[in-house]
mmCIF file of all heavy atoms in Angstrom:
data_model
loop_
_atom_site.group_PDB
_atom_site.id
_atom_site.type_symbol
_atom_site.label_atom_id
_atom_site.label_comp_id
_atom_site.label_asym_id
_atom_site.label_seq_id
_atom_site.Cartn_x
_atom_site.Cartn_y
_atom_site.Cartn_z
ATOM 1 N N LEU A 1 0.831 -1.198 0.000
ATOM 2 C CA LEU A 1 0.000 0.000 0.000
ATOM 3 C C LEU A 1 0.868 1.252 0.000
ATOM 4 O O LEU A 1 0.540 2.257 -0.637
ATOM 5 C CB LEU A 1 -0.927 -0.012 1.209
ATOM 6 C CG LEU A 1 -1.890 1.165 1.349
ATOM 7 C CD1 LEU A 1 -2.769 1.308 0.119
ATOM 8 C CD2 LEU A 1 -2.746 1.008 2.603
ATOM 9 N N ARG A 2 1.996 1.181 0.693
ATOM 10 C CA ARG A 2 2.905 2.328 0.746
ATOM 11 C C ARG A 2 3.415 2.689 -0.657
ATOM 12 O O ARG A 2 3.623 3.862 -0.974
ATOM 13 C CB ARG A 2 4.068 2.015 1.687
ATOM 14 C CG ARG A 2 4.860 3.238 2.101
ATOM 15 C CD ARG A 2 5.889 2.895 3.167
ATOM 16 N NE ARG A 2 5.270 2.495 4.407
ATOM 17 C CZ ARG A 2 4.784 3.321 5.310
ATOM 18 N NH1 ARG A 2 4.829 4.621 5.081
ATOM 19 N NH2 ARG A 2 4.259 2.868 6.424
ATOM 20 N N LEU A 3 3.623 1.680 -1.519
ATOM 21 C CA LEU A 3 4.082 1.948 -2.884
ATOM 22 C C LEU A 3 3.071 2.794 -3.653
ATOM 23 O O LEU A 3 3.432 3.736 -4.349
ATOM 24 C CB LEU A 3 4.324 0.624 -3.623
ATOM 25 C CG LEU A 3 5.473 -0.253 -3.105
ATOM 26 C CD1 LEU A 3 5.520 -1.560 -3.890
ATOM 27 C CD2 LEU A 3 6.805 0.475 -3.222
ATOM 28 N N PHE A 4 1.783 2.445 -3.516
ATOM 29 C CA PHE A 4 0.743 3.209 -4.209
ATOM 30 C C PHE A 4 0.565 4.591 -3.579
ATOM 31 O O PHE A 4 0.331 5.572 -4.276
ATOM 32 C CB PHE A 4 -0.576 2.440 -4.184
ATOM 33 C CG PHE A 4 -0.578 1.212 -5.053
ATOM 34 C CD1 PHE A 4 -0.515 -0.049 -4.492
ATOM 35 C CD2 PHE A 4 -0.616 1.319 -6.433
ATOM 36 C CE1 PHE A 4 -0.517 -1.186 -5.287
ATOM 37 C CE2 PHE A 4 -0.618 0.190 -7.246
ATOM 38 C CZ PHE A 4 -0.563 -1.059 -6.667
ATOM 39 N N MET A 5 0.667 4.658 -2.253
ATOM 40 C CA MET A 5 0.454 5.928 -1.568
ATOM 41 C C MET A 5 1.501 6.957 -1.936
ATOM 42 O O MET A 5 1.206 8.155 -2.011
ATOM 43 C CB MET A 5 0.429 5.716 -0.052
ATOM 44 C CG MET A 5 -0.842 5.092 0.481
ATOM 45 S SD MET A 5 -2.337 6.036 0.028
ATOM 46 C CE MET A 5 -1.977 7.613 0.789
ATOM 47 N N LYS A 6 2.721 6.524 -2.170
ATOM 48 C CA LYS A 6 3.770 7.479 -2.549
ATOM 49 C C LYS A 6 3.388 8.212 -3.835
ATOM 50 O O LYS A 6 3.546 9.432 -3.940
ATOM 51 C CB LYS A 6 5.110 6.768 -2.739
ATOM 52 C CG LYS A 6 6.258 7.728 -3.064
ATOM 53 C CD LYS A 6 7.563 6.990 -3.246
ATOM 54 C CE LYS A 6 8.709 7.986 -3.440
ATOM 55 N NZ LYS A 6 8.484 8.923 -4.558
ATOM 56 N N ARG A 7 2.852 7.464 -4.800
ATOM 57 C CA ARG A 7 2.454 8.105 -6.055
ATOM 58 C C ARG A 7 1.266 9.038 -5.828
ATOM 59 O O ARG A 7 1.210 10.138 -6.390
ATOM 60 C CB ARG A 7 2.099 7.035 -7.078
ATOM 61 C CG ARG A 7 1.789 7.618 -8.453
ATOM 62 C CD ARG A 7 1.477 6.528 -9.444
ATOM 63 N NE ARG A 7 1.065 7.096 -10.729
ATOM 64 C CZ ARG A 7 0.525 6.393 -11.710
ATOM 65 N NH1 ARG A 7 0.341 5.094 -11.563
ATOM 66 N NH2 ARG A 7 0.175 6.983 -12.831
ATOM 67 N N VAL A 8 0.298 8.607 -5.008
ATOM 68 C CA VAL A 8 -0.853 9.447 -4.706
ATOM 69 C C VAL A 8 -0.402 10.742 -4.037
ATOM 70 O O VAL A 8 -0.870 11.836 -4.386
ATOM 71 C CB VAL A 8 -1.851 8.689 -3.795
ATOM 72 C CG1 VAL A 8 -2.938 9.635 -3.292
ATOM 73 C CG2 VAL A 8 -2.481 7.526 -4.539
ATOM 74 N N ILE A 9 0.505 10.641 -3.069
ATOM 75 C CA ILE A 9 1.001 11.817 -2.357
ATOM 76 C C ILE A 9 1.650 12.807 -3.323
ATOM 77 O O ILE A 9 1.339 14.001 -3.321
ATOM 78 C CB ILE A 9 2.005 11.400 -1.261
ATOM 79 C CG1 ILE A 9 1.286 10.677 -0.118
ATOM 80 C CG2 ILE A 9 2.758 12.624 -0.724
ATOM 81 C CD1 ILE A 9 2.238 9.978 0.840
ATOM 82 N N ASP A 10 2.550 12.304 -4.149
ATOM 83 C CA ASP A 10 3.289 13.215 -5.019
ATOM 84 C C ASP A 10 2.414 13.794 -6.126
ATOM 85 O O ASP A 10 2.595 14.940 -6.539
ATOM 86 C CB ASP A 10 4.513 12.503 -5.595
ATOM 87 C CG ASP A 10 5.590 12.250 -4.553
ATOM 88 O OD1 ASP A 10 5.540 12.907 -3.493
ATOM 89 O OD2 ASP A 10 6.451 11.391 -4.774
ATOM 90 N N ASN A 11 1.439 13.019 -6.608
ATOM 91 C CA ASN A 11 0.499 13.557 -7.607
ATOM 92 C C ASN A 11 -0.327 14.691 -7.012
ATOM 93 O O ASN A 11 -0.620 15.681 -7.694
ATOM 94 C CB ASN A 11 -0.436 12.452 -8.098
ATOM 95 C CG ASN A 11 0.204 11.555 -9.138
ATOM 96 O OD1 ASN A 11 1.278 11.849 -9.646
ATOM 97 N ND2 ASN A 11 -0.449 10.445 -9.440
ATOM 98 N N ASN A 12 -0.714 14.541 -5.768
ATOM 99 C CA ASN A 12 -1.614 15.508 -5.156
ATOM 100 C C ASN A 12 -0.867 16.633 -4.444
ATOM 101 O O ASN A 12 -1.018 17.797 -4.808
ATOM 102 C CB ASN A 12 -2.561 14.794 -4.191
ATOM 103 C CG ASN A 12 -3.678 14.084 -4.915
ATOM 104 O OD1 ASN A 12 -4.699 14.671 -5.213
ATOM 105 N ND2 ASN A 12 -3.470 12.809 -5.245
ATOM 106 N N GLN A 13 -0.053 16.293 -3.448
ATOM 107 C CA GLN A 13 0.646 17.360 -2.743
ATOM 108 C C GLN A 13 1.628 18.070 -3.668
ATOM 109 O O GLN A 13 1.687 19.302 -3.690
ATOM 110 C CB GLN A 13 1.376 16.811 -1.514
ATOM 111 C CG GLN A 13 2.044 17.919 -0.705
ATOM 112 C CD GLN A 13 2.291 17.528 0.731
ATOM 113 O OE1 GLN A 13 2.986 16.572 1.009
ATOM 114 N NE2 GLN A 13 1.724 18.292 1.656
ATOM 115 N N GLY A 14 2.387 17.290 -4.431
ATOM 116 C CA GLY A 14 3.342 17.901 -5.360
ATOM 117 C C GLY A 14 2.653 18.701 -6.447
ATOM 118 O O GLY A 14 3.078 19.811 -6.790
ATOM 119 N N GLY A 15 1.561 18.155 -6.997
ATOM 120 C CA GLY A 15 0.831 18.862 -8.045
ATOM 121 C C GLY A 15 0.223 20.160 -7.552
ATOM 122 O O GLY A 15 0.275 21.188 -8.237
ATOM 123 N N GLY A 16 -0.348 20.131 -6.348
ATOM 124 C CA GLY A 16 -0.918 21.346 -5.778
ATOM 125 C C GLY A 16 0.136 22.372 -5.428
ATOM 126 O O GLY A 16 -0.046 23.575 -5.655
ATOM 127 N N TRP A 17 1.245 21.903 -4.869
ATOM 128 C CA TRP A 17 2.348 22.784 -4.491
ATOM 129 C C TRP A 17 2.846 23.576 -5.694
ATOM 130 O O TRP A 17 3.111 24.781 -5.606
ATOM 131 C CB TRP A 17 3.470 21.954 -3.891
ATOM 132 C CG TRP A 17 4.690 22.692 -3.464
ATOM 133 C CD1 TRP A 17 5.850 22.831 -4.169
ATOM 134 C CD2 TRP A 17 4.900 23.390 -2.231
ATOM 135 N NE1 TRP A 17 6.768 23.566 -3.461
ATOM 136 C CE2 TRP A 17 6.206 23.918 -2.249
ATOM 137 C CE3 TRP A 17 4.106 23.614 -1.102
ATOM 138 C CZ2 TRP A 17 6.732 24.661 -1.196
ATOM 139 C CZ3 TRP A 17 4.640 24.347 -0.055
ATOM 140 C CH2 TRP A 17 5.933 24.861 -0.107
ATOM 141 N N ARG A 18 2.949 22.915 -6.826
ATOM 142 C CA ARG A 18 3.492 23.573 -8.024
ATOM 143 C C ARG A 18 2.475 24.496 -8.690
ATOM 144 O O ARG A 18 2.839 25.522 -9.249
ATOM 145 C CB ARG A 18 3.961 22.511 -9.021
ATOM 146 C CG ARG A 18 5.081 21.625 -8.501
ATOM 147 C CD ARG A 18 5.564 20.646 -9.564
ATOM 148 N NE ARG A 18 6.536 19.705 -9.010
ATOM 149 C CZ ARG A 18 6.241 18.474 -8.624
ATOM 150 N NH1 ARG A 18 5.003 18.024 -8.731
ATOM 151 N NH2 ARG A 18 7.173 17.686 -8.128
ATOM 152 N N ALA A 19 1.179 24.138 -8.632
ATOM 153 C CA ALA A 19 0.185 24.858 -9.423
ATOM 154 C C ALA A 19 -0.558 25.955 -8.667
ATOM 155 O O ALA A 19 -1.059 26.893 -9.287
ATOM 156 C CB ALA A 19 -0.840 23.867 -9.992
ATOM 157 N N ALA A 20 -0.646 25.846 -7.342
ATOM 158 C CA ALA A 20 -1.437 26.809 -6.571
ATOM 159 C C ALA A 20 -0.797 28.194 -6.585
ATOM 160 O O ALA A 20 0.434 28.331 -6.640
ATOM 161 C CB ALA A 20 -1.613 26.329 -5.139
ATOM 162 N N ASP A 21 -1.628 29.218 -6.501
ATOM 163 C CA ASP A 21 -1.131 30.594 -6.390
ATOM 164 C C ASP A 21 -0.574 30.863 -4.998
ATOM 165 O O ASP A 21 0.337 31.674 -4.830
ATOM 166 C CB ASP A 21 -2.262 31.583 -6.668
ATOM 167 C CG ASP A 21 -2.804 31.438 -8.069
ATOM 168 O OD1 ASP A 21 -2.120 31.863 -9.008
ATOM 169 O OD2 ASP A 21 -3.911 30.888 -8.215
ATOM 170 N N LEU A 22 -1.145 30.185 -4.006
ATOM 171 C CA LEU A 22 -0.739 30.406 -2.623
ATOM 172 C C LEU A 22 -0.743 29.078 -1.886
ATOM 173 O O LEU A 22 -1.768 28.404 -1.794
ATOM 174 C CB LEU A 22 -1.691 31.388 -1.937
ATOM 175 C CG LEU A 22 -1.440 31.688 -0.454
ATOM 176 C CD1 LEU A 22 -0.082 32.373 -0.260
ATOM 177 C CD2 LEU A 22 -2.560 32.561 0.107
ATOM 178 N N ASN A 23 0.411 28.671 -1.372
ATOM 179 C CA ASN A 23 0.529 27.481 -0.537
ATOM 180 C C ASN A 23 0.688 27.915 0.914
ATOM 181 O O ASN A 23 1.582 28.710 1.242
ATOM 182 C CB ASN A 23 1.748 26.645 -0.946
ATOM 183 C CG ASN A 23 1.544 25.918 -2.256
ATOM 184 O OD1 ASN A 23 0.899 24.880 -2.308
ATOM 185 N ND2 ASN A 23 2.100 26.466 -3.333
ATOM 186 N N LEU A 24 -0.182 27.399 1.773
ATOM 187 C CA LEU A 24 -0.138 27.724 3.193
ATOM 188 C C LEU A 24 0.322 26.501 3.986
ATOM 189 O O LEU A 24 -0.143 25.389 3.723
ATOM 190 C CB LEU A 24 -1.519 28.149 3.697
ATOM 191 C CG LEU A 24 -2.204 29.309 2.987
ATOM 192 C CD1 LEU A 24 -3.586 29.542 3.594
ATOM 193 C CD2 LEU A 24 -1.362 30.576 3.072
ATOM 194 N N THR A 25 1.204 26.710 4.935
ATOM 195 C CA THR A 25 1.589 25.642 5.862
ATOM 196 C C THR A 25 1.347 26.117 7.286
ATOM 197 O O THR A 25 1.323 27.318 7.563
ATOM 198 C CB THR A 25 3.068 25.241 5.703
ATOM 199 O OG1 THR A 25 3.910 26.327 6.125
ATOM 200 C CG2 THR A 25 3.391 24.864 4.262
ATOM 201 N N PHE A 26 1.168 25.168 8.184
ATOM 202 C CA PHE A 26 0.999 25.516 9.589
ATOM 203 C C PHE A 26 2.326 25.919 10.226
ATOM 204 O O PHE A 26 2.362 26.736 11.131
ATOM 205 C CB PHE A 26 0.415 24.332 10.360
ATOM 206 C CG PHE A 26 -1.052 24.092 10.110
ATOM 207 C CD1 PHE A 26 -1.539 22.816 9.943
ATOM 208 C CD2 PHE A 26 -1.949 25.151 10.048
ATOM 209 C CE1 PHE A 26 -2.893 22.581 9.727
ATOM 210 C CE2 PHE A 26 -3.304 24.938 9.832
ATOM 211 C CZ PHE A 26 -3.771 23.640 9.675
ATOM 212 N N THR A 27 3.414 25.308 9.765
ATOM 213 C CA THR A 27 4.703 25.507 10.432
ATOM 214 C C THR A 27 5.824 25.780 9.431
ATOM 215 O O THR A 27 5.729 25.433 8.247
ATOM 216 C CB THR A 27 5.095 24.268 11.264
ATOM 217 O OG1 THR A 27 5.470 23.196 10.378
ATOM 218 C CG2 THR A 27 3.953 23.812 12.164
ATOM 219 N N GLU A 28 6.898 26.369 9.941
ATOM 220 C CA GLU A 28 8.096 26.619 9.136
ATOM 221 C C GLU A 28 8.732 25.306 8.698
ATOM 222 O O GLU A 28 9.254 25.181 7.587
ATOM 223 C CB GLU A 28 9.098 27.451 9.931
ATOM 224 C CG GLU A 28 10.298 27.920 9.140
ATOM 225 C CD GLU A 28 9.947 28.960 8.084
ATOM 226 O OE1 GLU A 28 9.242 29.912 8.412
ATOM 227 O OE2 GLU A 28 10.387 28.788 6.919
ATOM 228 N N GLN A 29 8.691 24.303 9.585
ATOM 229 C CA GLN A 29 9.284 23.010 9.262
ATOM 230 C C GLN A 29 8.588 22.361 8.073
ATOM 231 O O GLN A 29 9.233 21.801 7.180
ATOM 232 C CB GLN A 29 9.207 22.075 10.469
ATOM 233 C CG GLN A 29 9.911 20.739 10.252
ATOM 234 C CD GLN A 29 11.405 20.893 10.014
ATOM 235 O OE1 GLN A 29 12.107 21.506 10.809
ATOM 236 N NE2 GLN A 29 11.892 20.350 8.898
ATOM 237 N N ASP A 30 7.249 22.439 8.030
ATOM 238 C CA ASP A 30 6.531 21.865 6.896
ATOM 239 C C ASP A 30 6.868 22.587 5.600
ATOM 240 O O ASP A 30 7.010 21.956 4.544
ATOM 241 C CB ASP A 30 5.014 21.925 7.139
ATOM 242 C CG ASP A 30 4.546 20.840 8.094
ATOM 243 O OD1 ASP A 30 5.301 19.886 8.328
ATOM 244 O OD2 ASP A 30 3.434 20.960 8.624
ATOM 245 N N LYS A 31 6.992 23.895 5.664
ATOM 246 C CA LYS A 31 7.365 24.650 4.460
ATOM 247 C C LYS A 31 8.745 24.211 3.962
ATOM 248 O O LYS A 31 8.960 24.006 2.758
ATOM 249 C CB LYS A 31 7.369 26.149 4.757
ATOM 250 C CG LYS A 31 7.763 27.012 3.560
ATOM 251 C CD LYS A 31 7.840 28.485 3.930
ATOM 252 C CE LYS A 31 8.403 29.311 2.777
ATOM 253 N NZ LYS A 31 8.581 30.728 3.155
ATOM 254 N N THR A 32 9.673 24.046 4.884
ATOM 255 C CA THR A 32 11.016 23.590 4.519
ATOM 256 C C THR A 32 10.984 22.196 3.914
ATOM 257 O O THR A 32 11.610 21.922 2.878
ATOM 258 C CB THR A 32 11.932 23.597 5.759
ATOM 259 O OG1 THR A 32 12.042 24.930 6.255
ATOM 260 C CG2 THR A 32 13.319 23.072 5.419
ATOM 261 N N ASP A 33 10.233 21.288 4.547
ATOM 262 C CA ASP A 33 10.137 19.911 4.051
ATOM 263 C C ASP A 33 9.511 19.854 2.665
ATOM 264 O O ASP A 33 9.965 19.098 1.796
ATOM 265 C CB ASP A 33 9.307 19.057 5.014
ATOM 266 C CG ASP A 33 10.005 18.818 6.349
ATOM 267 O OD1 ASP A 33 11.239 18.950 6.399
ATOM 268 O OD2 ASP A 33 9.309 18.502 7.330
ATOM 269 N N LEU A 34 8.479 20.645 2.439
ATOM 270 C CA LEU A 34 7.808 20.639 1.141
ATOM 271 C C LEU A 34 8.685 21.241 0.049
ATOM 272 O O LEU A 34 8.694 20.769 -1.089
ATOM 273 C CB LEU A 34 6.482 21.395 1.240
ATOM 274 C CG LEU A 34 5.381 20.653 1.995
ATOM 275 C CD1 LEU A 34 4.241 21.598 2.365
ATOM 276 C CD2 LEU A 34 4.843 19.503 1.165
ATOM 277 N N THR A 35 9.431 22.273 0.401
ATOM 278 C CA THR A 35 10.346 22.877 -0.573
ATOM 279 C C THR A 35 11.446 21.901 -0.952
ATOM 280 O O THR A 35 11.827 21.790 -2.128
ATOM 281 C CB THR A 35 10.951 24.172 -0.010
ATOM 282 O OG1 THR A 35 9.901 25.080 0.349
ATOM 283 C CG2 THR A 35 11.857 24.845 -1.032
#
């Protein structure tokens, strides 16, 4: 299941991160990790 989830995560979180006009994170650490 982890193999499939990795693709789902990157399609969604990665796709949104690149396309959104504004990305909001709760913490500085999450912003760093996502970058």
